[in-house]
Amino acid sequence: MMSPDGPRAAVARALDTLGTGAFLADEQGLIVAVNARGEQLLARPATDLVGRDAHDLLHRTSCGEPMPRAECRMLESLLGGRTQQGEEEWLERGDGTLVPVGWLATPCDIGTPPSATLVLFHSARFPGRTGRRSPAGGRLSELERLALLARTTTLLTSTLDIHKALRRLISLVVPRIADWAVIDLIGERDDVLRFAVAHAEGGTVKFREDLQGPMPPVPQESLMPLSRALRGVASSSVGPETYQGPPDSGIAVEQRRLFEATGMHSAIMVPLRSMHDVMGALTLGRADDPERFTAADTALLEDIARRASLALENARLYQRQRQVAETMQRHLLPKLPRSPGRRMAARYLPAPDASHVGGDWYDAFTLTDGATALAVGDVVGHDLEAAAGMAQLRNMLRAYAVSQQKPPSKIVEWLDQATLHIAEVSMATLVFVRMSEQADGRCELSWTNAGHPPPLLVTREGEACYLTDGHGILLGVTPGQFRRPDATAELPPGATLLLYTDGLIESPAHGLDEGLARLSRHAAALARYPLESFIDELLARARPPDNDDDVAMLAVRHGLGWSS
C-alpha cells in the first residue's frame, strides 16, 4: 500500500487491517491511500490510484459509462463530508472490466486538517440480476446500443497498446452482450494466435489460459466459419453442431474443443478487418443465457468490430513506428572507447509506452589530444522525429569537439547555434564532459551543463555528490545570447562518474529532489560493485516503477587497481 507521510500515515497503515476494499480520499476527492484488498478488487496497483480522482477514475454506470457527477452519492460524500452508501453500483478495474460493488463512504477524522473520507467497498452479486450481465445485445434499447458504440470508440482510441485495447474490447462486450468472448489474431507472417478466451463470472471477466495460444494456419479453401472470418470473408452465426462433422483443418479441431470446453450453444464470428488488412476475428458466445443471437446482435457486433479494427490498425502502425525509432536509436548509440586505467559502461532502456520512445542518448569518444569526451542528452519529443534529431545533435557535437580544441562551454555554444540553423531540433538538454589525464596522474573533469540533471560522482568509499556547477539553460531556447559556464573537478582514483537522463529519477508520484536523493543513496551503496554490475543494479533499484520515459546512462570509473 502507498500512503503519504505525516498524520495520514497511521490511518493508511490501518487500512490493511480491514477485510474489505478501502481507500482514503482527501477533500478534493483524490485518493491518498488504498489497502491491498482494494488493489486486488480493482486490479490496479496503488501507484495507479494514489493522486487520482476517485470518481473520474473508478465510478461507472452499468453500461460502463462514466457516472454523471451530479448523480453520484459517493462524490457527494467525498466533497461534502456526508456519510453515504450505495448498492448495485459499478467500479472500473485496471483491465477495463467492471466489478459490481456495494460501498460506504464516511468522513474520517485523522487528527489534522484537511479533512478526509474513508470509502469501504466490496464485490457484490446483485439480487435478481446475477451480477453477470446487463441485458444482452438483442434486448438493448437503441439508446443503449448507441452508448455502447460510443464507449467502444472512446475506450479503444484512447490507447496505443494493442493488448490493452483488446482487453478493453472484451470488457465492453462481456457480460453486456455475451457470456464468452474469443479473439484470434493474425500475425506478421500470417500465423494465428488465440489471444483471449474470456468468460463472465461473478461480475468479473476470467480468462481461460488453457484455451489460448498458437493456432493452426488458416486454410484458404475452408468454408468453416472461423476460417472464413480470418480470411475477412463474412460474419457467421454458429453453434456446436457446426463443428461436429469431420474437421477440414486443424482450426476446425480447435473450434470443436472450444465449444466443448465453454458450453456455448450460440455464437457469432465476425472479422476484425481494417481498410488495409484482416487482423483477426472476434467471436461472442452464449452458454448461460438461453437466448440465441439475433440478426440485430450480428449487426451490432459488426459495427463494434469495425470500430475496434480501426483502433487496432492505428495501434499496430504506431507500434511499428516505435520499433523503427527504437531500432534506429540503438544502432546510433556508440561503441565505448577503451582507455588504460579506465572503464566505461552504458545502458539504454526504451520507454514501456510506445508513445515515449525517442530522444535520450549517450556518447563517448577520444579527442585528438588524447582526452575523452563524454555526453548524455535528451531531445525534446517522443517519436521518430526526436530520434532523428538526437542523431543530428550527436554527430554535430562529435564534429565540433574533435575539430576544435576548445572548452566544453564553447563547443556547446556552437552546438546551440546549430540547433537553430542546421539541426531539426527544437530544444534539448545535454551534459558535455571533457576528461583528461594530468602529468601527475590525476584525472581532471571539465564540463558544461545545458539544462540537464547534474552528473553524479561516487567515491570508492561510498561518498556521493552531484556536480551542480557549470549549469546553464537548455539548448534551443536563446542561442548565442548567453555565455555558457564551465566547471572543473577531480575524479579520484576508484571513483565513478555517472551521467544519466531524467527517466532514471523522475516520477509522477514524487518530486525531483526525491528522485535525486534515491539515485544518490543507491549509487553510494553500490560504490564497490564492478562497473557493469554497478550500472545494472542502479538501473534496477533507482528507476521509479511508475516511470514512463526512456533512460540513457553512461558510467566511467577511473583507476582499476581494485575490483572494477
Side-chain angles (χ1 to χ4, degrees):
M1 180 186 71
M2 182 176 293
S3 62
D5 295 329
R8 292 186 180 135
V11 178
R13 288 192 295 270
L15 295 184
D16 273 332
T17 65
L18 301 174
T20 189
F23 64 81
L24 191 69
D26 65 15
E27 60 184 357
Q28 295 179 319
L30 303 181
I31 299 172
V32 296
V34 60
N35 69 354
R37 179 60 178 155
E39 292 179 272
Q40 180 183 9
L41 287 174
L42 296 172
R44 298 175 185 267
T47 51
D48 286 353
L49 292 163
V50 173
R52 305 285 294 278
D53 185 295
H55 170 84
D56 292 347
L57 180 67
L58 302 174
H59 210 173
R60 299 291 181 264
T61 68
S62 61
C63 290
E65 296 297 312
M67 172 67 71
R69 297 179 74 88
E71 301 175 15
C72 181
R73 286 176 296 143
M74 183 186 293
L75 184 63
E76 183 179 343
S77 178
L78 295 177
L79 302 182
R82 298 175 54 189
T83 298
Q84 298 275 9
Q85 63 180 5
E87 295 292 341
E88 299 193 18
E89 299 196 29
W90 303 83
L91 301 181
E92 184 172 300
R93 290 157 53 91
D95 58 6
T97 60
L98 300 179
V99 57
V101 298
W103 58 269
L104 171 70
T106 185
C108 178
D109 184 2
I110 59 173
T112 60
S115 61
T117 300
L118 176 65
V119 179
L120 305 176
F121 59 98
H122 62 92
S123 180
R125 292 176 63 87
F126 301 156
R129 290 181 57 188
T130 76
R132 290 197 304 270
R133 71 153 28 91
S134 306
R139 290 163 281 165
L140 291 177
S141 69
E142 187 61 28
L143 184 60
E144 288 172 323
R145 288 169 177 264
L146 292 174
L148 178 58
L149 292 174
R151 180 69 170 163
T152 301
T153 302
T154 301
L155 271 184
L156 298 188
T157 56
S158 62
T159 180
L160 291 171
D161 185 301
I162 291 177
H163 289 183
K164 185 180 293 186
L166 291 171
R167 289 182 179 271
R168 287 181 178 180
L169 174 59
I170 290 170
S171 74
L172 287 165
V173 295
V174 175
R176 195 169 293 123
I177 302 175
D179 303 314
W180 290 89
V182 182
I183 295 179
D184 296 294
L185 297 179
I186 299 175
E188 298 285 347
R189 299 183 179 180
D190 293 331
D191 52 314
V192 180
L193 172 70
R194 180 143 283 172
F195 170 79
V197 178
H199 179 222
E201 184 177 318
T204 61
V205 176
K206 302 291 181 64
F207 289 86
R208 286 286 302 269
E209 295 185 2
D210 59 313
L211 299 175
Q212 298 170 178
M215 293 277 284
V218 181
Q220 293 301 312
E221 68 283 356
S222 174
L223 299 178
M224 299 302 283
L226 181 59
S227 297
R228 284 165 55 84
L230 289 172
R231 297 200 306 269
V233 176
S235 303
S236 303
S237 295
V238 301
E241 66 279 359
T242 308
Y243 290 95
Q244 289 306 308
D248 68 347
S249 64
I251 278 188
V253 174
E254 287 299 316
Q255 285 298 90
R256 178 189 295 174
R257 185 168 80 96
L258 175 71
F259 276 91
E260 290 174 350
T262 62
M264 292 187 295
H265 62 76
S266 175
I268 307 174
M269 298 175 188
V270 299
L272 291 171
R273 181 174 48 207
S274 70
M275 295 177 60
H276 304 98
D277 208 354
V278 179
M279 292 177 289
L282 171 64
T283 301
L284 293 191
R286 288 180 183 162
D288 301 331
D289 189 332
E291 292 193 22
R292 298 182 69 85
F293 287 105
T294 66
D297 295 325
T298 302
L300 175 63
L301 187 57
E302 287 176 340
D303 205 345
I304 290 173
R306 280 192 292 270
R307 295 166 189 246
S309 298
L310 178 61
L312 292 176
E313 183 177 46
N314 289 338
R316 278 190 173 179
L317 289 173
Y318 205 95
Q319 192 172 66
R320 287 168 185 162
Q321 180 185 3
R322 183 245 174 99
Q323 291 169 348
V324 170
E326 186 181 324
T327 301
M328 174 182 175
Q329 194 163 20
R330 286 192 180 279
H331 281 297
L332 288 170
L333 294 174
K335 292 183 179 180
L336 301 179
R338 296 178 176 272
S339 178
R342 190 179 301 154
R343 187 173 293 255
M344 293 187 192
R347 297 291 183 269
Y348 171 72
L349 185 68
D353 187 342
S355 64
H356 285 78
V357 69
D360 288 24
W361 60 282
Y362 65 83
D363 201 3
F365 52 95
T366 302
L367 299 172
T368 53
D369 61 356
T372 301
L374 310 170
V376 163
D378 186 358
V379 174
V380 172
H382 296 104
D383 50 24
L384 187 58
E385 204 171 297
M390 172 272 291
Q392 290 180 314
L393 205 63
R394 194 200 75 166
N395 290 337
M396 286 190 296
L397 177 65
R398 279 195 168 209
Y400 287 138
V402 171
S403 63
Q404 305 292 327
Q405 300 299 315
K406 298 293 183 180
S409 60
K410 190 62 179 177
I411 301 297
V412 174
E413 284 176 7
W414 288 333
L415 189 64
D416 202 5
Q417 290 286 344
T419 62
L420 178 65
H421 301 294
I422 302 175
E424 297 174 5
V425 174
S426 56
M427 289 185 292
T429 66
L430 167 73
V431 173
F432 180 53
V433 181
R434 177 185 170 91
M435 184 169 58
S436 57
E437 294 279 352
Q438 303 300 304
D440 57 4
R442 291 181 301 108
C443 181
E444 184 178 274
L445 304 173
S446 60
W447 72 91
T448 192
N449 188 329
H452 200 80
L456 179 63
L457 193 154
V458 186
T459 68
R460 181 184 178 184
E461 292 71 33
E463 297 178 10
C465 66
Y466 286 103
L467 304 181
T468 56
D469 294 337
H471 202 90
I473 60 174
L474 69 168
L475 299 175
V477 177
T478 55
Q481 295 188 24
F482 298 97
R483 296 193 62 181
R484 293 190 173 273
D486 282 297
T488 60
E490 181 181 342
L491 186 63
T496 303
L497 176 69
L498 177 70
L499 309 181
Y500 55 93
T501 56
D502 55 11
L504 187 62
I505 55 172
E506 287 191 345
S507 163
H510 303 285
L512 184 59
D513 289 343
E514 185 174 341
L516 289 168
R518 182 177 59 250
L519 176 61
S520 175
R521 183 171 63 252
H522 285 298
L526 297 167
R528 295 204 175 197
Y529 274 50
L531 192 61
E532 294 288 337
S533 299
F534 170 88
I535 200 167
D536 285 332
E537 287 294 321
L538 194 58
L539 180 59
R541 298 184 189 184
R543 186 172 187 250
D546 57 349
N547 174 273
D548 62 354
D549 204 355
D550 45 354
V551 178
M553 302 169 66
L554 176 61
V556 183
R557 180 166 290 165
H558 170 57
L560 304 181
W562 57 289
S563 177
S564 56

